């Protein structure tokens, strides 16, 4: 069992930055691929980024490539999402998720565990 708790969301102006954190519990964290997804009101859940169990492989959604960076610290059982050059259309609830696929995944149904989410609001 893996439990995930996100933090770091908030209100920021366009062009600003935020850093999201996801704290994980469970001994198997280090063997799991991890990911971030987001969902805006009235829209479908969107893939943001994923990272392999070791942190050596990452992938990003097209809309965030070059602006967001995913990382992990297995010693701290945590993953992070650095959000730079934020835009109003980045406004959403951001979710952390864990998958038994060691190299991560871009499809939500491939994930086994989800956090409760943290709100990010970007004002224009």
């Amino acid at each position: 069992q893996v439990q995930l708790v996100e933090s770091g969301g908030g209100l920021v102006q366009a062009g600003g930055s935020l850093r999201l954190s996801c704290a994980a519990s469970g001994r198997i964290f280090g063997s799991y691929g991890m990911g971030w997804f987001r969902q805006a009101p009235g829209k479908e859940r969107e893939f943001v980024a994923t990272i392999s169990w070791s942190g050596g492989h990452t992938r990003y959604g097209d809309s965030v490539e070059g602006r967001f960076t995913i990382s992990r610290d297995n010693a701290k059982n945590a993953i992070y999402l650095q959000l730079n050059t934020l835009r109003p259309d980045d406004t959403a609830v951001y979710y952390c998720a864990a998958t038994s696929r060691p190299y991560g995944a871009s499809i939500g149904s491939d994930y086994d565990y989800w956090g409760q989410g943290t709100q990010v609001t970007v004002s224009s």
Side-chain angles (χ1 to χ4, degrees):
Q1 188 81 7
V2 176
Q3 293 183 323
L4 306 171
V5 179
E6 303 95 334
S7 62
L11 174 64
V12 64
Q13 288 188 332
S17 298
L18 281 174
R19 188 191 195 210
L20 306 183
S21 299
C22 174
S25 63
R27 294 178 298 168
I28 57 176
F29 171 79
S31 65
Y32 269 48
M34 299 294 295
W36 288 96
F37 289 76
R38 67 185 183 184
Q39 189 164 20
K43 295 187 177 181
E44 293 186 353
R45 183 174 58 196
E46 178 187 10
F47 167 69
V48 174
T50 189
I51 189 166
S52 63
W53 68 275
S54 67
H57 294 85
T58 59
R59 280 178 287 158
Y60 296 91
D62 290 342
S63 63
V64 306
E65 179 85 52
R67 299 188 298 122
F68 293 6
T69 303
I70 189 171
S71 61
R72 70 188 294 163
D73 185 339
N74 287 348
K76 296 182 178 180
N77 274 17
I79 69 166
Y80 308 98
L81 187 68
Q82 179 68 39
L83 293 68
N84 294 332
T85 320
L86 282 160
R87 310 183 307 217
D89 61 0
D90 293 317
T91 295
V93 177
Y94 284 70
Y95 297 92
C96 169
T99 175
S100 58
R101 295 172 180 259
Y103 286 92
S106 60
I107 301 173
S109 59
D110 285 337
Y111 284 79
D112 306 290
Y113 304 101
W114 293 83
Q116 293 299 307
T118 186
Q119 176 72 46
V120 172
T121 302
V122 184
S123 63
S124 57

